[in-house]
Amino acid sequence: STGLHWFLLVFSGFYWSLLGVDLRQYSKQVEAELQRIEQASIKDYIKESQNIALLHNQITACDSILERMEGMLSGFQSDLSSISSEIQTLQQQSVSMNVRLKNRQAVRSHLSQLVDELVVPGAMISTILDSPVTEQEFLEQLHELNNKINFAKELSFRETLACSDIQDIVDRLKLKAVSKIREFILQKIYSFRKPMTNYQIPQNTLLKYRFFYQFLLANERTVAKEIRDEYVDTMSKIYFSYFKSYSGRLLKVQYEEVADKDDLMGVEDTAKKGFFSKPSLKSRNTIFTLGQRGSILSPAELEGPILVPHTAQRGDSRYPYETLFRSQHYALLDNGCREFLFLSDFFMVAGNSALDLFNSIMGKTLSMFLKSMSTYVSDCYDSIAIFLCIHIILRFRAITAKRTIPALDKYWEAVLELLWPRFDLILEMNIHSIRNTDPQKLGVLDTRPHYITRRYAEFSSAIVSINQTFPNERTNALLGQLQIEVENFVLKMAAEFPSRRDQLIFLINNYDMMLSVLMERAADDSKEVEGFQQLLLARTQEFIEEILSPPFGGMIAFVKEAEALMEKGQLDRLKNEEARISQLVRGFSSSWKQSVEAMSQDVMRSFTNFKNGTSIIQGALTQLIQYYHGFHKVLNQPTFRSLAVRSELINLHHLMVEVKKHKPNF
């Protein structure tokens, strides 16, 4: 504040000088003012002298404290220097100890693992010796024993001395375990042999303990082979006995009436057999009819429950051969698949080894099947039964392929090699029987469908409908030969009729019947259907011309002649046929209604299929209108326009309306 006061005085002096004030005077004033201020300042210092002295003492005290603190910090600095060197020493010692610890731990882990593997605990010994093999604890200790045996073998290769300390006790435990396992598995196998035993239950039990066989295979191959051989021998006998008994009982519920070599398609219904021959089927037609037999191929029946023979016998039920065949082979498929899976799982085999083991068990049974089937097939003449059996096998083969089980593949092929040639032979026998048929020995002529063509139609539709699911070219070729022979037979039979009209009626009735039966089961685009459709159409057109000829033949002949001359530009050659034309016009106008009515009644009497008869009548009336339209067209030509009789022509639209009234409705 004093400095500021002084500054203000100087500044005010400068200010007054500017204003013209005397500076000396002003200087004296300033000096006096400064002295006054100095005296005031001295008084202030004196007044505050005690506080200043106190401040000095405090500063002095702080200096001494700071000196002591400086000494202490210097001591701390020297101490920290020594501690840092000690820490470095300790760090080096720690790193060294850590390395030694890791080395010891590594050695300890190897040694402890070795010791653990070598040591045979008392719990293992007591469990292997005293516990039943079915207990979970025994299975667990058996796994541990197997590991110790493998470890001991590994150490023996390395010539580890400690191995000899445990070898004796491990070998004893192994022998004891092998003995108990052998006894357990053999008991299970022997239990299969008890009468009325469901062997699948002990099989499932063995699968739970599949490690037992794995243990034997690894440690005692002789015992493993003994168990495997015993199982093969036991199951081979069981399957053979079961299927032999089952097959024999199935044959007791087969239909007693079966087809024989005389039950062929071309054999006359009234044909007599020798005195000592067995009675024929009540109706040969049933041999060639599929009926409900085809349902055996539906998934529901194909994989349905197998037949129980004694139940069927109590109910006095009888079945065709293919039903017994399906039941027998579905049982084989079911048991065979299950057995193959068991062998692969329990005996740990795969590929050819699994197939060889399966064949050693099922081979005898499969050979029996093939032998009995060969005997039956060699004397079988039921072609539908054989064909159904073929398709049963084809489907069963597809099922095993879907399950990826190749065990029965060779058997399926062997069965097909038996069935296909027999089917071919029976089909060829039927072809020959039709080819060698003498129409004159087949009884009274009749224009209705012949029973031989009905047999063919039923048989062909049955085979075609079955074959559509698994097409086979060999079957198609044989059916083609059979169709040719049947067509030839129908033509031979038709030739026995004296009139062409009756021949056509016979041909149309037979073609229509065969086509109707075929279309019930076969596809519309099958070769058989297409072939008979063409034949039926051709003969129908010819028959229409045949029935139109008696009442309208004159007009039809004139129209055809005139149209031919018109094409050549020579219609004037008919210019002088006025009398003929007049007769045709008036004759048609007077009698066409009666002729159409008589023709309709005659057609409906001639054809067994009302629908076919109706179609023929409609075709004939349509053709008649076309001819009459042509007749109109000819008479409208310049050559005939001057004829007065043209006015007597019936109006074409009116004729069409009248003709519709004569169309039968069914």
Side-chain angles (χ1 to χ4, degrees):
S1 62
T2 304
L4 179 61
H5 188 69
W6 182 85
F7 172 77
L8 291 173
L9 288 175
V10 174
F11 180 76
S12 63
F14 176 73
Y15 173 75
W16 289 115
S17 67
L18 290 177
L19 295 175
V21 179
D22 186 5
L23 291 178
R24 290 187 183 95
Q25 183 66 30
Y26 183 72
S27 173
K28 290 177 181 180
Q29 290 177 358
V30 168
E31 186 177 350
E33 185 68 26
L34 288 174
Q35 288 176 356
R36 188 183 61 79
I37 293 170
E38 182 180 359
Q39 291 297 321
S41 297
I42 292 171
K43 289 179 181 178
D44 287 340
Y45 279 115
I46 293 171
K47 184 180 178 181
E48 297 293 333
S49 60
Q50 291 182 353
N51 292 334
I52 292 171
L54 179 61
L55 178 62
H56 175 73
N57 292 335
Q58 289 178 349
I59 291 172
T60 303
C62 285
D63 286 342
S64 63
I65 292 171
L66 289 174
E67 285 178 1
R68 287 197 303 272
M69 287 183 67
E70 183 180 5
M72 290 174 63
L73 290 174
S74 298
F76 286 156
Q77 184 177 8
S78 61
D79 290 343
L80 287 174
S81 298
S82 63
I83 289 173
S84 176
S85 61
E86 289 178 3
I87 287 174
Q88 289 178 353
T89 304
L90 290 173
Q91 188 176 10
Q92 292 173 355
Q93 291 177 354
S94 175
V95 171
S96 175
M97 291 174 67
N98 191 32
V99 171
R100 289 198 298 272
L101 176 62
K102 287 182 178 179
N103 291 337
R104 289 178 182 178
Q105 286 177 340
V107 172
R108 180 181 178 182
S109 64
H110 287 295
L111 286 175
S112 62
Q113 182 179 357
L114 178 64
V115 172
D116 289 342
E117 294 290 351
L118 286 174
V119 170
V120 180
M124 176 185 290
I125 297 173
S126 61
T127 301
I128 296 295
L129 293 179
D130 302 328
S131 296
V133 297
T134 54
E135 289 189 3
Q136 182 64 26
E137 188 180 1
F138 180 87
L139 186 61
E140 293 172 358
Q141 293 298 337
L142 188 67
H143 277 280
E144 290 297 324
L145 176 61
N146 190 55
N147 292 335
K148 291 189 182 299
I149 293 171
N150 294 332
F151 189 70
K153 289 178 182 178
E154 183 182 346
L155 292 181
S156 65
F157 290 134
R158 300 179 186 175
E159 298 181 357
T160 304
L161 297 177
C163 180
S164 58
D165 295 339
I166 63 162
Q167 192 67 51
D168 182 57
I169 189 169
V170 168
D171 288 342
R172 290 183 184 181
L173 287 176
K174 181 181 76 173
L175 290 176
K176 182 63 176 178
V178 166
S179 174
K180 293 176 73 172
I181 291 171
R182 174 183 176 276
E183 182 181 357
F184 170 74
I185 296 179
L186 287 178
Q187 283 180 353
K188 291 296 178 186
I189 294 174
Y190 293 151
S191 68
F192 295 171
R193 303 176 181 178
K194 296 178 182 179
M196 305 301 290
T197 298
N198 182 357
Y199 62 87
Q200 295 173 14
I201 295 176
Q203 266 188 342
N204 292 335
T205 303
L206 286 176
L207 283 177
K208 289 170 57 179
Y209 302 103
R210 61 175 66 86
F211 180 72
F212 287 174
Y213 184 79
Q214 183 180 344
F215 181 83
L216 294 178
L217 197 62
N219 299 291
E220 198 64 52
R221 287 186 172 271
T222 306
V223 177
K225 184 178 184 303
E226 176 192 4
I227 287 176
R228 178 167 160 166
D229 292 343
E230 193 66 36
Y231 179 84
V232 168
D233 182 63
T234 299
M235 293 308 296
S236 176
K237 291 177 180 177
I238 288 174
Y239 281 125
F240 181 79
S241 174
Y242 166 73
F243 280 109
K244 183 178 181 181
S245 172
Y246 183 65
S247 300
R249 284 183 283 132
L250 277 180
L251 291 176
K252 293 180 181 179
V253 295
Q254 184 182 0
Y255 281 135
E256 295 179 0
E257 292 183 345
V258 294
D260 61 21
K261 62 182 179 180
D262 295 319
D263 292 316
L264 299 174
M265 203 174 291
V267 176
E268 185 184 356
D269 261 346
T270 57
K272 296 181 179 179
K273 296 188 176 182
F275 182 76
F276 294 103
S277 63
K278 62 183 179 180
S280 178
L281 291 173
K282 293 179 181 179
S283 172
R284 279 196 182 86
N285 291 335
T286 58
I287 303 171
F288 308 104
T289 303
L290 183 63
Q292 297 300 316
R293 296 171 71 180
S295 61
I296 195 73
L297 298 177
S298 66
E301 288 198 31
L302 188 69
E303 299 183 56
I306 63 173
L307 287 177
V308 181
H310 62 269
T311 304
Q313 282 181 301
R314 281 203 301 267
D316 200 26
S317 300
R318 291 292 182 268
Y319 301 93
Y321 177 72
E322 66 271 10
T323 301
L324 311 182
F325 181 89
R326 196 282 316 176
S327 185
Q328 181 187 47
H329 281 81
Y330 188 66
L332 175 65
L333 180 147
D334 193 38
N335 285 276
C337 290
R338 185 183 294 108
E339 186 63 32
F340 183 79
L341 292 174
F342 174 82
L343 295 175
S344 302
D345 199 359
F346 185 77
F347 290 104
M348 297 179 298
V349 288
N352 290 330
S353 299
L355 293 176
D356 291 341
L357 183 58
F358 178 83
N359 289 328
S360 64
I361 293 174
M362 300 296 294
K364 192 175 178 182
T365 300
L366 299 180
S367 298
M368 176 195 71
F369 271 18
L370 291 173
K371 185 177 179 180
S372 62
M373 200 181 312
S374 177
T375 303
Y376 176 83
V377 167
S378 64
D379 195 38
C380 176
Y381 295 89
D382 187 350
S383 51
I384 290 182
I386 296 292
F387 199 61
L388 285 171
C389 290
I390 289 172
H391 278 264
I392 288 170
I393 293 298
L394 291 174
R395 284 160 173 76
F396 282 169
R397 185 172 65 180
I399 290 172
T400 54
K402 187 177 180 181
R403 297 180 184 178
T404 63
I405 296 178
L408 293 168
D409 287 354
K410 289 185 178 179
Y411 174 75
W412 300 140
E413 294 300 326
V415 173
L416 292 175
E417 288 176 5
L418 277 175
L419 296 176
W420 272 121
R422 187 63 188 179
F423 176 73
D424 294 347
L425 176 63
I426 299 172
L427 214 53
E428 288 172 358
M429 290 173 66
N430 280 290
I431 291 171
H432 287 302
S433 72
I434 293 175
R435 183 183 301 157
N436 299 328
T437 299
D438 185 357
Q440 296 182 352
K441 295 181 180 180
L442 295 179
V444 181
L445 289 175
D446 192 337
T447 58
R448 291 175 296 181
H450 200 275
Y451 56 81
I452 289 180
T453 58
R454 180 170 291 280
R455 291 174 186 170
Y456 162 76
E458 294 286 354
F459 176 77
S460 182
S461 67
I463 299 302
V464 169
S465 64
I466 297 170
N467 198 53
Q468 284 171 352
T469 53
F470 281 84
N472 182 272
E473 289 302 320
R474 180 165 54 179
T475 304
N476 292 334
L478 288 169
L479 285 177
Q481 294 179 29
L482 181 61
Q483 181 178 348
I484 291 171
E485 294 302 328
V486 169
E487 290 174 6
N488 292 336
F489 165 76
V490 173
L491 293 175
K492 284 195 297 183
M493 286 297 300
E496 296 294 313
F497 291 91
S499 68
R500 182 57 181 168
R501 179 180 176 281
D502 288 342
Q503 291 177 1
L504 291 172
I505 293 173
F506 176 81
L507 290 172
I508 292 171
N509 274 330
N510 280 274
Y511 291 152
D512 177 64
M513 180 274 299
M514 289 188 284
L515 189 60
S516 299
V517 175
L518 280 168
M519 291 183 70
E520 287 180 5
R521 295 185 181 275
D524 292 344
D525 59 348
S526 66
K527 293 180 180 179
E528 291 78 10
V529 170
E530 290 180 354
F532 284 116
Q533 281 177 336
Q534 294 173 1
L535 289 170
L536 178 61
L537 181 61
R539 297 291 78 78
T540 300
Q541 289 298 324
E542 185 180 352
F543 179 74
I544 287 173
E545 296 291 335
E546 186 73 22
I547 60 174
L548 288 175
S549 182
F552 309 109
M555 181 191 70
I556 294 171
F558 175 79
V559 170
K560 289 181 178 179
E561 182 183 358
E563 287 176 345
L565 290 172
M566 284 171 62
E567 290 181 2
K568 299 177 182 178
Q570 301 174 358
L571 189 60
D572 289 343
R573 294 173 60 179
L574 298 176
K575 194 172 185 179
N576 299 322
E577 297 284 346
E578 183 177 351
R580 178 186 174 189
I581 293 172
S582 299
Q583 183 181 358
L584 291 175
V585 171
R586 290 165 183 160
F588 183 86
S589 299
S590 63
S591 65
W592 75 268
K593 289 185 179 181
Q594 295 86 348
S595 298
V596 167
E597 185 66 32
M599 183 178 65
S600 298
Q601 293 177 1
D602 183 42
V603 168
M604 297 310 297
R605 285 195 301 268
S606 300
F607 296 100
T608 54
N609 184 351
F610 285 164
K611 184 178 178 181
N612 185 41
T614 302
S615 176
I616 291 173
I617 292 172
Q618 291 176 349
L621 295 177
T622 301
Q623 188 66 35
L624 175 62
I625 291 173
Q626 289 178 352
Y627 279 131
Y628 199 68
H629 179 262
F631 192 47
H632 266 263
K633 187 176 179 182
V634 170
L635 294 185
N636 283 332
Q637 296 300 312
T639 305
F640 304 111
R641 283 179 184 170
S642 60
L643 295 178
V645 77
R646 288 180 64 248
S647 62
E648 299 180 27
L649 285 170
I650 300 174
N651 180 271
L652 198 61
H653 179 71
H654 176 70
L655 178 64
M656 293 173 66
V657 172
E658 289 295 322
V659 162
K660 285 183 180 179
K661 298 178 182 179
H662 291 272
K663 288 185 178 181
N665 297 313
F666 294 96

